[in-house]
Each structure stands twice: as structure tokens, then as C-alpha cells.
Amino acid sequence: MIIYLLSVIIKCSYSNPSIRTYPIVDLLENSPLNTFIIEVTQSTNKLNLLNINRFETKLFSIRNGSIYTKDLIDREEFLDRQYCLNKFYCKIELQILVDDGFAYWIVPIHIVDENDNKPEFAKTEIELRFVESVSNGYKIYFEGARDFDEGKNSEIRYILDCSNSLNDEKNLIFLHFNETSSSCSSLFELIMISKSSLSFSNNFDRLALKFNPLSMKNIENEYKLKIYAIDNNPYGNELINSMNLIVKIEEKGRKFLLSEYEFVVLLNNSINKTEYIIGKIHAISNNPEEIIYYKILSNNKTANEIKINSLTGQLIFLNENKTKII
């Protein structure tokens, strides 16, 4: 007996075990318990499933030469725990020791994604502000949605709802369910700038809302839009999420700080000067890059005696003749 055991140990130590890699097997996540995966052998080999990553023997078992599931497989959990060899294509490898080391088998399994994650927006509601006087086609950029599913299930299409109501009207969605509507009126258009990448966990689709003020005569001060994100499930089980979009339109791009200005001129101080500073008016713009110019528009003769600095808004009284009569 001792000689026999010694010969087995020597044989296992010096022989090179044969390595066999099986073709990739697809396994749909959330499959029922005891789901058949693959038959690895029909012989009576002694098969030992190695628990290298500490999940193999908990979730899989080998019975009568075949591999079965012992528990539900959640692809997203596998990604979080870094069980998958690739974050974009969840593949695991089960490693089997055959007949105490005479052979070594590798069974790669692709965990097929089930469409169980609906699109997720960065925010549930955002507010965008446009100035009515901006050029046609002016765009404001913002974050859209993302989807943690794999492949086609992660592709998102958007529908822009301009019904001016934030109520969840499902019949409106089903009406456009098989369409991709980026423009629901001539005034607004939704544009896809870039798609999210799963390599960055906080990365969302990049969207933009285009504003076309020349397309409509009467523009309201506020619009309540809704953006729907719909994933692309090939089996028709699309999942939906939505985000409220409040759009406010400011009528003028420029305005004075005061609607009326009043200045007091002291005669004793101004009577002997050719120019006397009266005061200053000030206007602001919604566009910080815009330069405001000032000009006096009046048919009054007094306008010839008062000038304004076109850049600063400073008002100056002209007393070129140094007259004492004002």
C-alpha cells in the first residue's frame, strides 16, 4: 500500500496534466436554480470544481459529468464584485481538476445580460434658461441618462414631450413608443452629443436642447417639457424612465438697473465748467460676453447739451459757452 501511494505521488508530481478549454457557454442571468449549463464528460472521471474566486462552489455544482447552477446569477453583482474578466463582456471561467490532477479543464461561461436595469438620469429635474433674443439654433448642454445593461439592452433612445405638462401621461409614451422623437415642436429640438461609456461609472449621455426663437411669433415665458429615455431590448421588453425639463425664456437680453433716473445739478459747481458730470446710468446683459453701448435718443433741444459716454453710461452736461443761464 505504501509503495502504491508513493507511486501515485511521484506520477502526479512529474507528469504534465492535459489542459482542455471548452467553447464559451451562454448563461442567462437570473436563471432558475439547477439550470443545466454544459456536459463536460460522460465518463466516470473524478471532477473537482476549484473555488479559486470563492464564488464557484457557492453558485455552481458538478453532477454526473454536467455543470448546474446552485443559486441565482446576477450579472451586475458579478461586475461589482469583479468576478467578470471584462467589465464590458461578463465572462467567467470555471476551473475543474480531473482525477486528482491528471487533467485540467477550463469552462468559460458568458453571463448573458437580462434587461433588468432601466435608464437612469443624472437628475430627475433640471432648469434651462434661454434669452429670447439669442441666435436661432442656440444650444444648452446637459447630462442625460445611462444604462448598466449590456449590448443592445444598454442603448438608449430619447423622446422629447412638449405637451407643457409634467404629469406622467403613459398614453402619450405608448403613442410614440416605437419612434425616436427629438423634436416635438419647431421651438425646441433635443440633440444627442455623445453616448455614455461604462468605463466611467458616473458617465451619462451628453445631450443638448436647441432653441429656435425665429420659428414662433408668440413665445411663452416658461415651458414644462419631459424627456423619456427608453432602452433597446430586442425582445420588446423596453424599460422607460423620465426627467422633467423646465425651460424659462427671458424676454430681453439687456435691461437697465432702474426704469427711471433722476439727477440733480448744482449750478455753482457747473457754471464755470465746460463739462460737468451729471451722473451715470447702468444696464446689464444676460450674456456676460456682450458689450453694451449707450446712446441718447431724443428730439428735445436739451439733448444737444447733454452727452453720454457710449461705453460707461456716464452723462455729461455741456456748457461750452460757460453761460449762466441754464
Side-chain angles (χ1 to χ4, degrees), residues 30-271:
N30 300 321
S31 295
L33 304 185
N34 296 317
T35 296
F36 170 80
I37 299 176
I38 186 176
E39 182 184 62
V40 292
T41 182
Q42 293 181 349
S43 63
T44 59
N45 297 93
K46 181 181 179 181
L47 306 179
N48 184 23
L49 179 61
L50 301 182
N51 198 34
I52 296 177
N53 296 298
R54 299 184 179 180
F55 72 85
E56 290 88 347
T57 56
K58 178 182 177 181
L59 301 177
F60 301 94
S61 65
I62 300 177
R63 301 197 309 268
N64 300 322
S66 298
I67 301 177
Y68 296 85
T69 61
K70 290 175 60 178
D71 203 346
L72 293 178
I73 308 297
D74 186 356
R75 172 184 166 274
E76 285 68 38
E77 181 182 354
F78 271 41
L79 290 173
D80 291 339
R81 295 179 178 271
Q82 297 182 351
Y83 293 158
C84 303
L85 300 179
N86 189 311
K87 66 174 64 176
F88 302 105
Y89 181 83
C90 185
K91 184 184 76 170
I92 62 173
E93 290 182 348
L94 298 184
Q95 302 180 38
I96 303 173
L97 194 65
V98 183
D99 294 333
D100 296 325
F102 283 98
Y104 185 77
W105 296 344
I106 300 174
V107 181
I109 300 176
H110 171 220
I111 309 300
V112 180
D113 177 50
E114 184 180 39
N115 192 30
D116 53 356
N117 290 287
K118 67 180 181 180
E120 174 186 299
F121 279 96
K123 297 180 180 179
T124 57
E125 181 174 303
I126 63 172
E127 180 180 299
L128 303 181
R129 291 178 176 268
F130 289 96
V131 178
E132 188 176 1
S133 58
V134 297
S135 58
N136 214 48
Y138 184 83
K139 297 185 289 292
I140 295 182
Y141 299 88
F142 59 96
E143 289 183 318
R146 65 183 178 184
D147 195 315
F148 286 112
D149 286 320
E150 180 184 285
K152 289 290 185 180
N153 292 337
S154 66
E155 296 179 2
I156 301 174
R157 56 193 175 95
Y158 293 91
I159 292 177
L160 181 63
D161 176 15
C162 294
S163 60
N164 213 24
S165 173
L166 298 182
N167 295 328
D168 189 14
E169 301 192 18
K170 295 182 179 180
N171 55 344
L172 179 64
I173 280 301
F174 291 127
L175 181 64
H176 300 282
F177 199 73
N178 295 319
E179 300 176 7
T180 301
S181 176
S182 61
S183 176
C184 54
S185 74
S186 57
L187 192 60
F188 300 108
E189 181 181 352
L190 186 65
I191 300 175
M192 167 75 78
I193 303 299
S194 62
K195 291 184 175 294
S196 63
S197 173
L198 290 178
S199 57
F200 301 98
S201 58
N202 294 324
N203 196 9
F204 295 84
D205 287 348
R206 187 77 170 161
L207 306 178
L209 187 67
K210 181 190 288 187
F211 180 49
N212 302 309
L214 298 181
S215 65
M216 191 173 297
K217 292 183 178 180
N218 299 321
I219 299 179
E220 300 178 10
N221 295 329
E222 181 177 298
Y223 291 87
K224 298 177 180 179
L225 312 181
K226 205 173 188 72
I227 298 177
Y228 292 94
I230 306 172
D231 64 15
N232 187 21
N233 184 269
Y235 304 104
N237 298 321
E238 291 93 345
L239 299 178
I240 310 173
N241 207 346
S242 64
M243 177 181 71
N244 296 331
L245 186 61
I246 310 298
V247 180
K248 293 188 177 181
I249 311 297
E250 298 181 357
E251 295 182 356
K252 295 182 179 180
R254 295 159 295 278
K255 65 179 180 179
F256 286 100
L257 291 183
L258 300 176
S259 59
E260 181 177 302
Y261 290 82
E262 182 178 320
F263 302 97
V264 177
V265 178
L266 300 178
L267 292 178
N268 293 337
N269 294 334
S270 64
I271 201 168

Side-chain angles (χ1 to χ4, degrees), residues 270-282:
S270 64
I271 201 168
N272 294 320
K273 298 179 180 180
T274 56
E275 292 186 358
Y276 177 77
I277 298 176
I278 298 175
K280 184 179 180 180
I281 62 174
H282 186 59

